[in-house]
Amino acid sequence: MVNIAIIGVGTVGCSVANILKENKELIQARAGKEIRVVKGVVRDISKKRDVEIPLTTDIDEVLNDDSIDIVVELMGGVDEPFKVVKLALEKKKAVVTANKALLAYHRYDLQEIAGDIPIGYEASVAGGIPIINALKVGLSANEITSIRGIMNGTSNYMLTKMINDGVKYDDILKEAQELGYAEADPTFDVGGFDAAHKLLILASIAYGIDAKPEDILIEGIQNINQDDISFAGEFGYSIKLLGIAKKINSNIELRVHPVLIKQTQMIAKIDGVMNGISVIGDKVGETLYYGPGAGGDATASAVVSDIIEIVRAGKSSPMLGFKKPFKSENLVLQNKENIQSQYYFRMSVEDVSGVLASIAKTLGDNNISVDTFLQKVIENSSIATLQFSTHECKEIDVKKAISQIEKFDFVKDGVSMIRIEA
Ligand code: NAP
Ligand code: HSE
């Protein structure tokens, strides 16, 4: 018999308890032992929840109980779960977590503290898709050339509804929250931070690189509007929030931002709450992983798989997949300004002569060459919306051009920019 406690019995925690109950016999056969949830920890014990396990508000009841073998951390946050997980590991309890924010900041600390004590975190990236296992085990023979994918279900759900049904941003965010997809603070989803946390976890397994969210380029979907969506449609693009990790010689480029991506590409076809991640290995070539990226049961499926593996094997492989420090070459994080891409710009301007010439000159002065251009005059006003796409150019030049264009008096409300992913 293996005893587990679930710290945080919310969307995912309830699903974990219920899967362990509903699939009990199957899970016992796979794990080789009976798995029993002996305690759940919550903040508000009076809240009604669809679960039949003993609840407490006192985390110490779990940490000080020697009969508990595995602590499942599903409370969210960074500092408090770090304290809790650290204490659990110090008490020699195995840990399973779905908490990517915690891992984005403390994965190397936890690896150090854990030593040989298992830590499972399959659910932390892409919900139900076993992408951690794929990188740690299935692709471990390969040097990873790139990882590129949709890693946030909430924003993909929102973009899909905005593009396909013209639904308003605020309405669809509310719906994603009601469906249990969004983080407690949904700015993590729409601002790209949640996808960045996941990208950093994958990059550590792929490259052994210890970057923090503040070290990488992160942009969200908050500024995307129906003008961008119709421009994208007109030129055969979809809009997706992507996490991108690329190895370029000894540089590792890590970035999260919305992209215009050709509708014919596989990733462009991944809609709704689904996530999709392409991993290219030097020996295997491209592999693609697709599945539900958020939601109680899908995420709990990955949490329970970690529990089963810990019970079955009694140990785990090294947390981030490396048994020895990875020193075969000096990989460094690529400077954000060295990114090269094609770009799309949108801006509202006064519809007067000379405006276009000034903008074109600024772009040209900054080595930016225009590919396509669209102008729409807003009915009964003197304002026009200008939309450009560019040939490949440097991020540093784009940033300079935008700041110069935004200084023109005829430009209203700044310049919106989306990168175009080839
Ligand atoms: P949730 O529904 O907000 O549940 C959080 C639970 O933790 C609640 O039961 C809450 O108690 C409890 N809790 C929070 N702080 C606590 C504290 N200080 N002491 C005791 N209990 C505390 O969140 P969730 O959606 O299940 O997400 C849980 C974790 O999984 C997060 O790290 C999230 O990022 C991750 N995750 C979620 C999904 C998803 O689709 N939802 C997918 C992948 C990963 P009360 O109920 O009493 O408030
Ligand atoms: N809020 C996250 C998402 C949950 O929407 O992808 C899954 O990690």
Side-chain angles (χ1 to χ4, degrees):
M1 170 103 68
V2 171
N3 289 335
I4 74 167
I6 304 175
I7 303 187
V9 190
T11 304
V12 183
C14 281
S15 286
V16 168
N18 289 332
I19 290 175
L20 285 167
K21 186 173 152 215
E22 286 160 25
N23 289 354
K24 189 174 165 61
E25 281 176 29
L26 182 75
I27 289 170
Q28 185 168 342
R30 289 187 173 142
K33 287 184 187 161
E34 186 185 342
I35 299 170
R36 211 167 50 137
V37 184
V38 294
K39 194 134 297 177
V41 186
V42 294
R43 258 179 317 214
D44 176 2
I45 208 151
S46 68
K47 212 189 256 181
K48 199 167 157 1
R49 47 193 106 220
D50 174 28
V51 76
E52 292 164 8
I53 56 172
L55 294 177
T56 175
T57 53
D58 184 2
I59 292 177
D60 287 339
E61 273 185 37
V62 167
L63 297 173
N64 296 330
D65 183 342
D66 290 338
S67 75
I68 291 172
D69 308 291
I70 303 176
V71 169
V72 182
E73 185 279 305
L74 296 170
M75 64 201 289
V78 175
D79 295 341
E80 205 173 349
F82 180 53
K83 266 192 243 154
V84 170
V85 168
K86 193 166 168 275
L87 284 168
L89 291 169
E90 284 165 1
K91 299 244 178 194
K92 310 278 180 233
K93 298 179 191 304
V95 169
V96 174
T97 181
N99 189 337
K100 49 274 155 128
L102 166 69
L103 296 173
Y105 287 97
H106 292 300
R107 58 201 182 282
Y108 285 89
D109 304 324
L110 291 175
Q111 175 169 253
E112 179 89 25
I113 298 162
D116 288 335
I117 302 168
I119 303 189
Y121 56 102
E122 184 59 73
S124 66
V125 181
I129 307 175
I131 185 70
I132 304 281
N133 203 46
L135 274 176
K136 261 174 81 170
V137 182
L139 300 177
S140 56
N142 289 261
E143 178 173 280
I144 302 300
T145 315
S146 72
I147 302 171
R148 195 175 71 140
I150 295 168
M151 303 180 185
N152 182 266
T154 302
S155 55
N156 202 44
Y157 183 79
M158 292 174 64
L159 285 172
T160 304
K161 290 270 186 174
M162 285 163 68
I163 293 169
N164 293 353
D165 308 330
V167 182
K168 286 211 183 81
Y169 180 96
D170 288 338
D171 295 344
I172 198 64
L173 173 56
K174 199 161 162 275
E175 200 180 306
Q177 287 177 293
E178 282 162 6
L179 288 165
Y181 301 156
E183 296 303 301
D185 175 356
T187 51
F188 278 82
D189 296 291
V190 297
F193 305 105
D194 177 73
H197 294 158
K198 293 164 178 167
L199 183 72
L200 291 169
I201 295 168
L202 298 184
S204 285
I205 305 170
Y207 305 113
I209 197 145
D210 181 9
K212 299 280 188 291
E214 44 278 14
D215 301 327
I216 70 166
L217 189 149
I218 306 174
E219 289 170 13
I221 64 166
Q222 304 97 319
N223 292 329
I224 289 169
N225 72 11
Q226 287 300 331
D227 286 330
D228 304 326
I229 289 170
S230 48
F231 179 93
E234 198 155 324
F235 291 95
Y237 292 106
S238 187
I239 304 181
K240 295 290 178 193
L241 180 73
L242 290 195
I244 299 169
K246 277 188 200 161
K247 183 172 181 295
I248 305 165
N249 303 317
S250 57
N251 287 322
I252 302 297
E253 187 172 292
L254 298 179
R255 49 190 168 111
V256 172
H257 51 74
V259 297
L260 294 185
I261 183 165
K262 280 285 177 197
Q263 286 162 359
T264 47
Q265 289 217 25
M266 298 274 270
I267 285 178
K269 300 179 202 293
I270 292 168
D271 280 343
V273 72
M274 293 297 179
N275 282 192
I277 302 180
S278 144
V279 182
I280 300 181
D282 65 340
K283 301 302 173 200
V284 69
E286 182 167 19
T287 57
L288 195 65
Y289 306 86
Y290 170 80
D297 280 359
T299 308
S301 156
V303 171
V304 175
S305 80
D306 278 338
I307 297 172
I308 294 172
E309 188 52 22
I310 290 171
V311 175
R312 178 158 57 191
K315 57 187 171 61
S316 70
S317 53
M319 183 181 162
L320 297 170
F322 289 100
K323 254 186 119 66
K324 290 185 171 176
F326 182 51
K327 287 268 183 227
S328 68
E329 57 184 317
N330 286 325
L331 294 177
V332 291
L333 196 60
Q334 166 97 298
N335 189 314
K336 296 174 203 177
E337 294 188 329
N338 290 338
I339 291 166
Q340 296 211 22
S341 178
Q342 285 179 264
Y343 293 81
Y344 154 88
F345 303 117
R346 166 176 48 83
M347 61 199 82
S348 293
V349 296
E350 277 173 41
D351 189 17
V352 290
S353 67
V355 164
L356 207 51
S358 305
I359 292 171
K361 181 172 183 318
T362 310
L363 293 175
D365 287 349
N366 286 291
N367 313 306
I368 299 168
S369 152
V370 172
D371 182 18
T372 54
F373 167 64
L374 210 63
Q375 169 167 336
K376 275 189 297 187
V377 177
I378 297 174
E379 239 175 88
N380 301 323
S381 84
S382 58
I383 301 291
T385 304
L386 306 184
Q387 292 164 292
F388 303 87
S389 69
T390 75
H391 293 289
E392 184 159 300
C393 50
K394 292 186 180 152
E395 181 93 4
I396 190 166
D397 290 334
V398 166
K399 290 279 162 71
K400 236 166 87 189
I402 289 177
S403 88
Q404 289 168 8
I405 291 171
E406 284 180 337
K407 288 195 182 103
F408 289 130
D409 288 341
F410 56 73
V411 174
K412 310 290 168 201
D413 309 326
V415 176
S416 284
M417 175 268 275
I418 307 178
R419 294 167 193 83
I420 300 174
E421 183 69 7

